[in-house]
Amino acid sequence: LGIDFATGAIYLPGGERYSVAPEVLRDAVDNQGQVNRQRLRAIIREASGRDLPLDHPRLIEQRGSLEQLAAHGLRPSA
């Protein structure tokens, strides 16, 4: 599973790919840069029809750089 918040690309297992407007994905990020996993899950379900568990213990969250966050009007969280 991969989500590119800058482009709106959603990469799912098995090579499935979907695209949503980046603004839609930004709705899943709060003012502190924290991802609301329930909202993200709903966005993925709406785009793909698949309900993916985003609470899996092997889920790795990789954050963008300060410059990437600033380009989207977000602040990094401590």
Side-chain angles (χ1 to χ4, degrees):
L1 168 68
I3 308 290
D4 185 336
F5 284 83
T7 66
I10 301 172
Y11 304 95
L12 299 181
E16 291 180 65
R17 297 179 198 183
Y18 299 90
S19 182
V20 299
E23 298 80 21
V24 172
L25 286 174
R26 280 187 229 133
D27 285 343
V29 181
D30 68 19
N31 291 340
Q32 302 300 313
Q34 295 295 313
V35 175
N36 178 320
R37 290 186 182 190
Q38 291 298 82
R39 178 68 185 124
L40 182 59
R41 186 176 182 179
I43 292 168
I44 294 169
R45 184 174 46 242
E46 187 174 315
S48 71
R50 294 185 57 188
D51 189 20
L52 301 176
L54 298 183
D55 55 354
H56 193 281
R58 290 183 19 196
L59 182 70
I60 298 171
E61 209 173 300
Q62 181 176 337
R63 302 208 179 259
S65 69
L66 294 176
E67 291 80 15
Q68 289 171 319
L69 292 172
H72 294 287
L74 300 172
R75 296 184 321 226
S77 61

